[in-house]
Amino acid sequence: MVNEDVFVDKLRHINQYIEDLEQMRGLSKAEYVDDMVTQRAVERTLMNLIQACIDLAQHVRSTENLSPSGTAKQEIQALGEADIISNETQAKLEEAVGFRNILAHRYGDVDHDVVYDVLHDDLQWFNRFQQELAQWFQQLD
Protein backbone atom coordinates (compact mmCIF):
# COMPACT_ATOMS: atom_id res chain seq x y z
CA MET A 1 0.00 0.00 0.00
CA VAL A 2 1.18 3.51 -0.83
CA ASN A 3 2.78 5.34 2.07
CA GLU A 4 0.72 8.51 2.41
CA ASP A 5 3.57 10.57 3.86
CA VAL A 6 5.93 9.62 1.02
CA PHE A 7 3.21 10.17 -1.58
CA VAL A 8 2.26 13.62 -0.28
CA ASP A 9 5.90 14.64 0.15
CA LYS A 10 6.71 13.74 -3.46
CA LEU A 11 3.62 15.61 -4.73
CA ARG A 12 4.73 18.61 -2.69
CA HIS A 13 8.17 18.53 -4.31
CA ILE A 14 6.64 18.27 -7.79
CA ASN A 15 4.37 21.22 -7.07
CA GLN A 16 7.25 23.32 -5.73
CA TYR A 17 9.40 22.65 -8.80
CA ILE A 18 6.50 23.62 -11.06
CA GLU A 19 6.01 26.85 -9.11
CA ASP A 20 9.74 27.61 -9.30
CA LEU A 21 9.72 27.09 -13.07
CA GLU A 22 6.62 29.25 -13.51
CA GLN A 23 8.50 32.09 -11.82
CA MET A 24 11.31 31.74 -14.37
CA ARG A 25 9.04 32.32 -17.36
CA GLY A 26 9.42 36.10 -17.50
CA LEU A 27 12.21 36.38 -20.04
CA SER A 28 11.78 36.54 -23.79
CA LYS A 29 13.37 33.68 -25.74
CA ALA A 30 16.26 35.94 -26.80
CA GLU A 31 16.88 37.02 -23.21
CA TYR A 32 16.72 33.42 -22.03
CA VAL A 33 19.18 32.21 -24.65
CA ASP A 34 21.62 34.95 -23.57
CA ASP A 35 21.26 34.29 -19.81
CA MET A 36 23.40 31.30 -18.82
CA VAL A 37 22.53 31.54 -15.13
CA THR A 38 18.80 31.31 -15.84
CA GLN A 39 19.41 28.49 -18.31
CA ARG A 40 21.22 26.49 -15.65
CA ALA A 41 18.51 27.18 -13.07
CA VAL A 42 15.75 26.12 -15.46
CA GLU A 43 17.60 23.00 -16.59
CA ARG A 44 18.38 21.91 -13.03
CA THR A 45 14.83 22.54 -11.85
CA LEU A 46 13.42 20.63 -14.82
CA MET A 47 15.73 17.70 -14.03
CA ASN A 48 14.59 17.76 -10.39
CA LEU A 49 10.94 17.97 -11.42
CA ILE A 50 11.17 15.05 -13.81
CA GLN A 51 13.13 12.99 -11.28
CA ALA A 52 10.49 13.69 -8.62
CA CYS A 53 7.85 12.39 -11.03
CA ILE A 54 9.93 9.26 -11.66
CA ASP A 55 10.41 8.77 -7.91
CA LEU A 56 6.69 9.05 -7.29
CA ALA A 57 5.92 6.64 -10.12
CA GLN A 58 8.46 4.19 -8.70
CA HIS A 59 6.93 4.42 -5.22
CA VAL A 60 3.43 3.76 -6.54
CA ARG A 61 4.59 0.95 -8.83
CA SER A 62 6.50 -0.82 -6.09
CA THR A 63 3.91 -0.44 -3.32
CA GLU A 64 1.03 -1.42 -5.60
CA ASN A 65 2.94 -4.43 -6.97
CA LEU A 66 2.64 -3.31 -10.55
CA SER A 67 5.05 -4.48 -13.26
CA PRO A 68 8.60 -5.30 -12.18
CA SER A 69 11.07 -2.49 -11.67
CA GLY A 70 12.82 -1.29 -14.78
CA THR A 71 13.92 1.91 -16.42
CA ALA A 72 12.56 5.32 -15.52
CA LYS A 73 10.29 5.17 -18.58
CA GLN A 74 9.00 1.78 -17.47
CA GLU A 75 8.09 3.26 -14.08
CA ILE A 76 5.86 5.77 -15.90
CA GLN A 77 4.52 3.07 -18.23
CA ALA A 78 3.45 0.98 -15.24
CA LEU A 79 1.17 3.80 -14.07
CA GLY A 80 -0.38 4.13 -17.52
CA GLU A 81 -0.90 0.39 -17.85
CA ALA A 82 -2.65 0.37 -14.46
CA ASP A 83 -4.89 3.29 -15.57
CA ILE A 84 -3.52 5.46 -12.78
CA ILE A 85 -2.55 8.11 -15.34
CA SER A 86 -3.99 8.72 -18.79
CA ASN A 87 -2.30 7.46 -21.95
CA GLU A 88 -1.65 11.04 -23.00
CA THR A 89 0.00 11.94 -19.70
CA GLN A 90 2.00 8.71 -19.83
CA ALA A 91 3.34 9.57 -23.30
CA LYS A 92 4.30 13.11 -22.29
CA LEU A 93 6.03 11.95 -19.10
CA GLU A 94 7.93 9.29 -21.03
CA GLU A 95 9.14 12.06 -23.35
CA ALA A 96 10.10 14.08 -20.28
CA VAL A 97 12.23 11.20 -18.99
CA GLY A 98 14.17 11.22 -22.25
CA PHE A 99 14.51 14.98 -22.01
CA ARG A 100 15.84 14.68 -18.45
CA ASN A 101 18.48 12.25 -19.70
CA ILE A 102 19.59 14.78 -22.31
CA LEU A 103 19.81 17.53 -19.66
CA ALA A 104 21.52 15.36 -17.07
CA HIS A 105 24.04 13.65 -19.30
CA ARG A 106 24.48 16.41 -21.88
CA TYR A 107 23.97 14.10 -24.84
CA GLY A 108 25.09 16.50 -27.53
CA ASP A 109 24.51 20.15 -26.92
CA VAL A 110 21.39 21.22 -25.05
CA ASP A 111 19.16 23.22 -27.38
CA HIS A 112 18.19 26.25 -25.30
CA ASP A 113 15.29 27.01 -27.63
CA VAL A 114 13.83 23.59 -26.81
CA VAL A 115 14.32 24.10 -23.07
CA TYR A 116 12.64 27.50 -23.33
CA ASP A 117 9.71 25.93 -25.17
CA VAL A 118 9.38 23.19 -22.54
CA LEU A 119 9.40 25.86 -19.83
CA HIS A 120 6.58 27.74 -21.53
CA ASP A 121 4.53 24.96 -23.13
CA ASP A 122 4.91 21.72 -21.19
CA LEU A 123 4.55 22.41 -17.47
CA GLN A 124 0.86 21.58 -17.83
CA TRP A 125 1.79 17.90 -18.23
CA PHE A 126 3.50 17.82 -14.87
CA ASN A 127 0.44 19.43 -13.31
CA ARG A 128 -1.72 16.82 -15.00
CA PHE A 129 0.55 14.02 -13.77
CA GLN A 130 0.26 15.12 -10.17
CA GLN A 131 -3.50 15.75 -10.47
CA GLU A 132 -4.17 12.31 -11.94
CA LEU A 133 -2.09 10.65 -9.23
CA ALA A 134 -3.82 12.68 -6.51
CA GLN A 135 -7.23 11.66 -7.88
CA TRP A 136 -6.17 8.01 -7.96
CA PHE A 137 -4.87 8.25 -4.38
CA GLN A 138 -8.11 9.79 -3.11
CA GLN A 139 -10.04 6.85 -4.56
CA LEU A 140 -8.01 4.40 -2.47
CA ASP A 141 -9.91 5.29 0.71
Side-chain angles (χ1 to χ4, degrees):
M1 170 161 250
V2 172
N3 179 311
E4 182 175 356
D5 291 336
V6 171
F7 188 87
V8 170
D9 189 53
K10 291 189 184 303
L11 281 179
R12 186 178 52 76
H13 281 102
I14 291 168
N15 192 54
Q16 184 61 58
Y17 293 134
I18 292 169
E19 287 178 9
D20 292 348
L21 287 164
E22 287 172 342
Q23 291 177 12
M24 293 184 227
R25 286 180 162 170
L27 298 175
S28 70
K29 189 178 278 191
E31 291 170 321
Y32 176 81
V33 170
D34 289 338
D35 187 344
M36 189 176 291
V37 172
T38 300
Q39 290 171 15
R40 288 179 182 156
V42 168
E43 290 171 16
R44 178 66 178 186
T45 306
L46 280 168
M47 287 189 318
N48 289 343
L49 169 59
I50 297 164
Q51 187 61 51
C53 292
I54 294 166
D55 292 346
L56 181 54
Q58 190 278 329
H59 177 70
V60 171
R61 185 210 41 80
S62 66
T63 58
E64 294 299 302
N65 297 314
L66 302 177
S67 63
S69 179
T71 65
K73 283 186 181 182
Q74 289 170 325
E75 300 290 356
I76 302 296
Q77 287 171 351
L79 300 187
E81 290 168 2
D83 293 325
I84 294 171
I85 60 173
S86 68
N87 291 336
E88 194 174 22
T89 300
Q90 174 189 336
K92 290 295 187 177
L93 265 289
E94 286 177 20
E95 287 177 23
V97 169
F99 183 66
R100 179 199 62 105
N101 291 341
I102 290 168
L103 293 174
H105 304 294
R106 296 283 186 196
Y107 299 132
D109 291 326
V110 172
D111 185 334
H112 299 295
D113 289 330
V114 171
V115 176
Y116 181 87
D117 291 343
V118 168
L119 175 64
H120 287 82
D121 300 333
D122 290 338
L123 295 184
Q124 66 181 343
W125 295 107
F126 300 102
N127 274 320
R128 241 175 103 170
F129 177 77
Q130 70 175 346
Q131 289 167 356
E132 290 175 9
L133 276 163
Q135 289 170 351
W136 168 80
F137 185 74
Q138 289 173 348
Q139 294 173 1
L140 293 178
D141 290 335

